[in-house]
Amino acid sequence: MGNPAGPQPTSYPALDIPERILLGPGPSMVHPRVLQAMSTPLVGHLDPKFIEIMDRIQGLLRYAFQTGNPLTIPVSGTGSAAMEAAIANMVEPGDSVLVCINGYFGLRLAEMARRYGADVLTITRPWGEVFTVAEVQQAMQAHPPKVVAIVQAETSTGAQQPLDEIARVVHARSAILIVDAVTSLGGVPVRVDEVGIDVCYSGTQKCLGCPPGLGPITVGPRAEEILSTRSRPVANWYLDLTIVQKYWGKERTYHHTAPISSNFALYEGLRIVAEEGLEARWARHRRNAERLWTGLEALDLTLHVPLSHRLPTLTTVRVPEGVDEAQVRRALLEDFNIEIAGGLGELKGKVWRIGLMGHSSTPENVDLLLNALDRILHSP
Ligand SMILES: *Cc1c(COP(=O)(O)O)cnc(C)c1O
């Protein structure tokens, strides 16, 4: 039988995907050991062997998040699913939520909170800047929230938000703090217990060096209390942590089929994180970012974010006057096999975004990119 919509069904070619050098905002490159783990034969999602891996993943995630929180699991879905799990589980209709917006992902947090019926108050900073403690404190005085949400590593701007003091003022007013650590976990320090972050989530395809598909999340004691005393069920069935935790906890009750292969990949990715050690991994991300920053400035390019709060895992570079930014990205991809990204939102057309995350963060990749940019921008 023919295919009414197009070519003969048997004439589609086999996958033919080049091995790119991924230096964009994610996904980053995946360690060969992780790719191999992904091709492990499947077992059932309640197989004792899989349950053993689930427990080990939880242990390794606690290490990555630097937390003792019992409720620490990978949400089935990408970073946005973990973001939605954080909001859906902490927010009930009418709750007051303060969202700090200085980039694209802050906007997404506010949009999600609105969809769950929150009374959303926002404070904003220009894209590339960070919030001061006083700004958060002032907003909380004017309109005391139950939840404050903030992005630690704004992938749309390259700014890194300091958190320690913000956590203190949030708790002083009996609110809880949700932190987006999607582009920080495994790349820059994320210390959930020491800082006092109540809900922290991430994604696997940024600094953890895995494919996209899971969203690690950890829920602290204050947030667990909110979860267990909700007046209404969580509005999102799939992401309802009160049920999901029964699958990851002692009960092992079926809720949805865990993405087995993605969890095998995450397990291997987290083992690699532990082998390298968090401190060494943070230092590697910092060192390679500094190499990139020095090299970009030597090419007469201007970095968008001041050094004081510049994020090592994602760098924004201003597009020079008169340069076609999309053309440069196309040349990088077609002639040099390197992916970087353009700007989002307020920074669209104004910056390039260069990620040095996880397995992509190497001095060799930095030098490849700098040489390629030099050739493209400065060839006669
Ligand atoms: C990538 C990213 C997300 C969303 O993650 P997805 O895996 O794309 O769903 C959320 N927040 C930040 C800061 C990100 O960089």
Side-chain angles (χ1 to χ4, degrees):
M1 227 163 56
N3 181 354
Q8 281 299 315
T10 50
S11 68
Y12 288 85
L15 277 175
D16 174 23
I17 310 289
E19 240 183 272
R20 303 276 197 214
I21 295 161
L22 297 175
L23 304 180
S28 61
M29 292 161 90
V30 174
H31 197 290
R33 272 172 53 188
V34 173
L35 288 176
Q36 195 170 18
M38 272 204 104
S39 62
T40 305
L42 292 193
V43 291
H45 68 105
L46 292 170
D47 189 295
K49 277 289 178 193
F50 187 65
I51 286 172
E52 195 175 273
I53 298 303
M54 290 168 75
D55 289 343
R56 293 187 199 160
I57 286 173
Q58 288 184 282
L60 285 165
L61 279 180
R62 287 184 195 108
Y63 168 66
F65 277 117
Q66 292 286 282
T67 185
N69 292 339
L71 181 44
T72 303
I73 61 166
V75 170
S76 303
T78 64
S80 305
M83 180 191 284
E84 188 147 356
I87 298 290
N89 283 273
M90 290 303 114
V91 171
E92 297 198 45
D95 283 350
S96 156
V97 176
L98 172 66
V99 184
C100 307
I101 302 177
N102 57 352
Y104 183 84
F105 292 101
L107 286 168
R108 184 174 292 184
L109 272 164
E111 173 63 17
M112 284 186 186
R114 275 184 214 106
R115 291 192 186 199
Y116 285 93
D119 172 16
V120 178
L121 178 78
T122 61
I123 52 175
T124 57
R125 291 290 293 178
W127 289 34
E129 297 183 11
V130 292
F131 292 90
T132 63
V133 185
E135 285 163 342
V136 177
Q137 203 161 22
Q138 205 174 14
M140 291 185 75
Q141 258 154 16
H143 193 87
K146 170 178 153 188
V147 174
V148 176
I150 198 163
V151 178
Q152 182 187 18
E154 242 309 343
T155 323
S156 62
T157 72
Q160 182 175 353
Q161 174 67 51
L163 294 170
D164 299 45
E165 289 183 67
I166 288 179
R168 218 167 23 74
V169 305
V170 168
H171 295 147
R173 292 203 153 253
S174 306
I176 61 152
L177 182 63
I178 296 180
V179 170
D180 178 317
V182 177
T183 293
S184 35
L185 191 70
V188 301
V190 178
R191 294 185 171 97
V192 167
D193 286 3
E194 194 182 308
V195 173
I197 301 169
D198 298 291
V199 181
C200 190
Y201 61 84
S202 190
T204 43
Q205 80 276 27
K206 311 250 170 136
C207 304
L208 295 175
C210 295
L214 293 174
I217 193 169
T218 185
V219 178
R222 296 179 203 86
E224 273 227 55
E225 172 75 17
I226 287 178
L227 188 59
S228 61
T229 55
R230 289 179 59 101
S231 58
R232 268 169 279 223
V234 175
N236 186 313
W237 183 87
Y238 192 75
L239 300 174
D240 182 347
L241 292 177
T242 66
I243 337 176
V244 174
Q245 73 175 337
K246 293 197 174 119
Y247 173 51
W248 285 85
K250 283 188 281 303
E251 297 93 329
R252 304 292 173 188
T253 318
Y254 166 72
H255 174 255
H256 66 270
T257 310
I260 309 285
S261 307
S262 299
N263 276 285
F264 287 160
L266 177 58
Y267 178 56
E268 193 61 16
L270 291 170
R271 265 169 33 87
I272 293 168
V273 171
E275 277 168 26
E276 182 174 9
L278 278 178
E279 301 270 351
R281 198 173 172 94
W282 298 334
R284 168 169 64 85
H285 280 83
R286 178 90 210 168
R287 202 165 52 238
N288 292 326
E290 283 172 355
R291 186 185 188 96
L292 174 69
W293 300 339
T294 308
L296 290 169
E297 284 173 337
L299 293 177
D300 278 332
L301 292 167
T302 307
L303 302 180
H304 179 64
V305 177
L307 188 58
S308 57
H309 56 272
R310 193 181 296 156
L311 180 63
T313 51
L314 188 121
T315 299
T316 38
V317 198
R318 298 220 180 106
V319 177
E321 202 74 42
V323 169
D324 178 346
E325 77 84 17
Q327 176 59 40
V328 171
R329 281 188 288 123
R330 210 168 312 125
L332 277 173
L333 192 67
E334 287 172 9
D335 304 337
F336 297 91
N337 201 34
I338 299 173
E339 178 186 271
I340 68 166
L344 275 180
E346 269 183 33
L347 296 177
K348 194 171 165 61
K350 296 189 182 142
V351 299
W352 289 300
R353 292 185 299 148
I354 303 170
L356 289 175
M357 305 179 188
H359 193 50
S360 289
S361 170
T362 66
E364 292 78 16
N365 285 344
V366 169
D367 293 351
L368 275 176
L369 174 66
L370 290 170
N371 286 326
L373 275 176
D374 190 23
R375 295 264 294 276
I376 295 167
L377 292 171
H378 301 137
S379 63

